[in-house]
C-alpha cells in the first residue's frame, strides 16, 4: 500500500531517541527547550512553546488570548476539526469564512464582507484562525490588515506549513499573527511522534502558554501572590493542563528539524512532477508554489461526487492510499447541532465533492508516483474522461 502521507525516519532520528532514553530525563529535560529554540530560530520568532500535540497548542493559544464564553472565533471550513474545536473548548462560539477556490485557503474578500457585516451587527470575532491548507500560506498580510482594523487576534493554524514561507519570511515568524501553531503528527512535515508547538513574538503570551501547558503552575516569584515559602515552592495561578511534550519526543523533533529543508524540497519536486504529468488530464491541479511546504497534493476530479467515490474506492483497491481533505467542518454532526447547514459555505462544499488527495511524502519514489499517476489516468478513462 502506498499511503497518502508518512514519516521519514532515519538512523540519526533513532540514535537521537535512544540517546534521550539513556539520559537522566525522559521529560522536562534539555531536549524540549533545545527543540523550542531551534524551531524559534528557524522561524525567526522570539518564543516557542512545545506541547503534546497541535490541538493542545490551539487550545492554549485560545486561552492565552483570553477567549471564553461570549466570544466568537472564525476559522476556515476546509480544515481538520481541531481548528474549530479549540474555541469550543474555551466556551466560545465558532463561525467560518468560506474559502478561495484557487488557494483553498480562507478567502480574503469573503473575510472582508463578513467583517463588515459583523461590525454592523456588533458581533465581531475575538480571534480569527486562518489555516495554511496543504502547506500554502494564507494571504496573512491582508488578513492581518483586516483584523487589525477591528482589534481582532490572529492564530495561524500552520499544522501543514512548517518549512513554508510568506512574503519572504518563514511561516511561524508571527509577523502577521499573535500565535502560530505547528503539528508534529507523523503525517505532517516533520514529526515528534505526537507533538505540537505554539510560537509567538509576545513574551507575556509565551509565559502564559508555558504556564498553561503545566497545570497553570508558576515558580516565578514575580507572579506569586505571596513570597515563596522556600525553594520547593510553586503556585497554581490559574487552571492549566498537562500538555507537556516529553524529552523523547523533542529529541526526535530536533533531529527531524535538521532535515526539514530536504523534506520540503523533495515534496516540492514531487508536487512539480505531479503537476507536469497530470496537466493533460481533465483535473483541477493545485496552484504552483515555491513557498508552500507541500503537505498535501489535492486534485479536483471532473464529474459527480459519485465519480469521486468510485475513483477513491478503485485507487484504494489498487493499493494507493488516496484520501480526502477536508469534509467541511460545519457539516460535521457536532457543528450541525450548533446550527450550521449545507450550503452555508458553498465554495468549501463544492471543492469537497471533487477533492482527492494523492500520496505525497519525502520517501515516495518516482516510480511509486508513476504508479499513482497511471492508475488515476486509467480510472479517468474508465469513467469516460
Ligand atoms: C493535524 C492538524 C491539527 C491537529 O494536529 P495534532 O498534532 O494531531 O493535534 C490541527 N489542524 C490542522 C489543520 C491539522 O492538519
Amino acid at each position: 500500500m502506498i499511503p497518502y502521507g508518512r514519516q521519514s525516519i532515519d538512523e540519526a532520528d533513532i540514535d537521537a531517541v535512544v540517546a534521550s532514553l539513556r539520559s537522566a530525563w525522559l521529560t522536562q529535560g534539555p531536549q524540549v527547550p533545545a527543540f523550542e529554540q531551534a524551531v524559534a530560530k528557524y522561524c525567526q520568532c522570539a518564543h516557542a512553546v512545545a506541547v503534546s500535540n497541535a490541538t493542545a497548542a490551539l487550545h492554549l493559544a485560545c486561552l492565552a488570548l483570553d477567549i471564553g464564553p461570549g466570544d466568537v472565533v472564525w476559522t476556515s471550513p476546509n480544515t481538520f476539526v481541531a481548528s474549530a474545536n479549540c474555541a469550543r473548548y474555551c466556551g466560545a462560539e465558532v463561525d467560518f469564512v468560506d474559502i478561495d477556490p484557487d488557494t483553498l485557503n480562507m478567502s480574503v474578500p469573503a473575510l472582508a464582507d463578513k467583517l463588515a457585516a459583523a461590525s454592523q451587527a456588533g458581533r465581531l470575532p475575538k480571534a480569527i484562525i486562518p489555516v495554511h491548507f496543504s502547506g500554502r500560506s494564507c494571504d496573512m498580510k491582508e488578513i492581518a490588515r483586516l483584523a487589525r482594523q477591528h482589534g481582532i487576534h490572529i492564530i495561524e493554524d500552520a499544522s501543514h506549513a512548517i518549512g513554508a514561507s510568506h512574503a519572504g519570511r518563514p511561516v511561524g515568524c508571527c509577523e502577521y499573527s499573535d500565535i502560530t501553531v505547528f503539528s508534529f503528527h507523523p503525517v505532517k512535515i516533520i514529526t515528534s511522534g505526537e507533538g505540537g508547538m505554539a510560537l509567538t513574538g509576545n513574551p507575556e503570551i509565551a509565559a502564559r502558554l508555558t504556564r498553561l501547558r503545566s497545570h497553570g503552575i508558576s515558580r516565578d516569584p514575580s507572579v506569586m501572590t505571596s513570597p515563596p515559602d522556600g525553594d520547593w515552592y510553586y503556585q497554581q495561578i490559574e487552571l492549566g493542563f498537562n500538555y507537556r511534550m516529553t524529552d523523547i519526543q523533542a529529541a526526535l523533533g530536533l533531529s527531524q528539524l535538521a532535515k526539514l529543508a530536504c523534506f520540503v524540497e523533495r515534496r516540492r519536486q514531487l508536487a512539480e512532477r505531479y503537476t507536469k504529468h497530470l496537466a493533460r488530464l481533465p483535473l483541477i491541479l493545485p496552484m504552483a508554489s515555491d513557498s508552500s511546504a507541500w503537505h498535501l497534493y489535492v486534485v479536483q476530479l471532473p464529474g459527480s461526487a459519485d465519480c469521486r467515490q468510485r475513483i477513491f474506492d478503485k485507487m484504494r483497491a489498487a493499493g494507493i492510499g488516496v484520501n480526502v481533505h477536508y469534509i467541511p467542518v460545519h457539516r460535521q454532526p457536532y457543528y450541525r447541532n450548533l446550527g450550521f447547514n449545507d450550503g452555508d459555505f458553498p465554495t468549501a462544499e463544492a471543492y469537497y465533492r471533487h477533492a482527492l488527495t494523492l500520496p505525497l511524502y519525502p520517501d515516495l519514489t518516482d516510480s511509486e508516483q508513476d504508479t499513482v499517476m497511471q492508475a488515476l489516468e486509467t480510472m479517468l478513462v474508465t469513467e469516460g474522461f
Side-chain angles (χ1 to χ4, degrees), residues 46-183:
H47 309 279
V49 179
V51 291
S52 43
N53 53 68
T55 306
L58 288 164
H59 181 191
L60 297 191
C62 289
L63 290 173
L65 297 175
D66 291 317
I67 290 163
D71 294 327
V72 188
V73 173
W74 293 358
T75 188
S76 168
N78 184 32
T79 186
F80 185 55
V81 292
S83 316
N85 290 347
C86 56
R88 300 293 301 152
Y89 297 154
C90 304
E93 267 179 49
V94 170
D95 202 353
F96 303 91
V97 180
D98 208 350
I99 61 170
D100 177 284
D102 297 324
T103 64
L104 310 174
N105 281 329
M106 182 181 281
S107 155
V108 171
L111 176 63
D113 289 351
K114 199 172 171 102
L115 281 172
S119 178
Q120 286 263 304
R123 194 81 181 108
L124 283 165
K126 181 142 177 182
I128 299 173
I129 307 183
V131 181
H132 304 317
F133 178 75
S134 78
R136 178 191 308 268
S137 175
C138 297
D139 187 349
M140 289 311 303
K141 216 169 175 167
E142 273 305 294
I143 291 174
R145 192 182 62 78
L146 291 168
R148 279 172 189 158
Q149 287 171 359
H150 302 283
I152 299 166
H153 292 301
I154 296 179
I155 301 167
E156 294 174 67
D157 184 346
S159 293
H160 299 182
I162 192 168
S165 61
H166 173 62
R169 293 196 65 196
V171 167
C173 71
C174 296
E175 185 172 347
Y176 300 109
S177 62
D178 298 274
I179 300 170
T180 301
V181 167
F182 293 133
S183 172

